[in-house]
Amino acid sequence: MLKDGILSIGAKVIFFVVLKFLVEPWMNIRMGDAGFGHYVVLLGYISVFAYSCGEALNHIRVLNQESDEKRAAEYRIIIFTEAILSFLILVSYSIFYEKESLTESVFFGLAAVFMMLRLYSECMFRIEINYKRILISSIIMAGGYLVGYFFYTKGAPWYLIIVVGEASAVIYAAIEGKAFTALHKVSEAFSKTIKNAATLTSSYLISYILIYMDRFLVSFLLGEELVSTYYIATFYGKCVALIIPPITAVLLSNISKGIIPLDKKMVNKVVSASLGAIAFFFLAGIPASRIIIYLLYRSSYQAALPIMDIGNLGQIIYYSCSIVNMMAIRLCDMKLQVKVETTYAISYILFAFVGAKFYGLFGLAAGTLLANCLRFLMLTIPVYGALRKRGETF
């Protein structure tokens, strides 16, 4: 499992370094703060659709891998239906609200489609527990983003950076993982698969809207130039996503196969490790965040400095929730996901909106931190409740 974790983290690091340390700083120089802030907002829309649908179906397929061959056709129907609907929504938004041309609007929609398909198709490598292929996929995708950036420098819309990068990884997964191959027709349990996908996608939709809500709120309340400032200030917190989600994916694969027993001893270890990771990454981030931002975004350093620490802590706690959420998905009723995310949505918007209104960017960061702490508790407490119902006391 340690080797899988290293390969999974390595895959994230390679792509993250190319995107966050090369492509986006270059884009920031070309676009300026206002233009880069607009890119960050639109990337948020793309990511909300892609992650809500693609990652949710990925997790459902991994959790139900014992019947994977019989249900492959069902997953294919669901993911392509979600991709088509997302494409139509985003193209319409781009044409009628952003006033973009048809060509740029199509690229905008395709960026979400290919990102969604890539996130979904990675499930095949996780079912196989073949993290070497995930690493190769990440290298291919990183190369695709660099090729896309080259086209951008020649006058292509920035959406093409995402389209080329994500499409490269999708083609690899389709060939090596047979992610879109189905040997059987839909099963009698198709309606149950649709129900589970709709439930988890709804939960993830709320979750990812809230992940990107900070940039939406900043844009709405304070302007797109400050979106760029906030995005840059919380850069280190996003770096933590290199480590935590890959570990979650490895744990999910091994728990689903029964390799790791999800008993009270393991739950205590995971929760303790999550809290320890939060403390470690926050303390390490105090000097690290300042060094990184000074090197990559020197012109924005002074503007970002006041909210670096509190903003990054909020990000770290949010991503740490994914580890606890992995246990909640396995031990608790799927409806808990919707309940938690709905409650979190209301509290987050309230805290962030009030904070931004009275204290600007710092207030929004403080509201985000408070809401993320609440989410961590709302996921952790039911996990222990589920263990008590099984007769495991503490």
Side-chain angles (χ1 to χ4, degrees), residues 1-13 131 135 242 246-247 250:
M1 190 175 78
L2 178 61
K3 181 182 177 182
D4 292 338
I6 293 171
L7 288 172
S8 186
I9 292 170
K12 290 286 185 181
V13 167
Y131 287 90
L135 178 63
L242 291 175
I247 293 173
V250 172

Side-chain angles (χ1 to χ4, degrees), residues 308-369:
M308 275 188 197
D309 296 333
I310 192 169
N312 285 321
L313 180 58
Q315 295 278 318
I316 291 166
I317 292 175
Y318 184 87
Y319 286 118
S320 296
C321 287
S322 67
I323 300 178
V324 180
N325 194 36
M326 173 270 302
M327 298 188 294
I329 290 174
R330 191 66 179 176
L331 292 174
C332 305
D333 191 294
M334 199 67 77
K335 292 178 182 178
L336 173 70
Q337 297 291 310
V338 177
K339 292 177 181 177
V340 169
E341 298 305 338
T342 302
T343 304
Y344 173 64
I346 295 170
S347 61
Y348 173 76
I349 292 173
L350 178 63
F351 298 158
F353 186 86
V354 172
K357 268 293 187 183
F358 289 97
Y359 301 102
L361 279 182
F362 184 87
L364 187 141
T368 301
L369 173 60

Side-chain angles (χ1 to χ4, degrees), residues 31-78:
M31 294 176 166
D33 285 341
F36 189 70
H38 189 58
Y39 152 77
V40 169
V41 173
L42 292 182
L43 179 63
Y45 296 145
I46 291 170
S47 300
V48 164
F49 283 95
Y51 277 87
S52 300
C53 300
E55 197 170 71
L57 199 60
N58 176 313
H59 289 170
I60 288 173
R61 192 164 184 177
V62 171
L63 286 168
N64 295 281
Q65 57 190 270
E66 67 279 356
S67 58
D68 184 72
E69 189 174 307
K70 293 180 180 179
R71 294 187 176 186
E74 301 170 13
Y75 299 131
R76 186 172 63 183
I77 291 171
I78 293 170

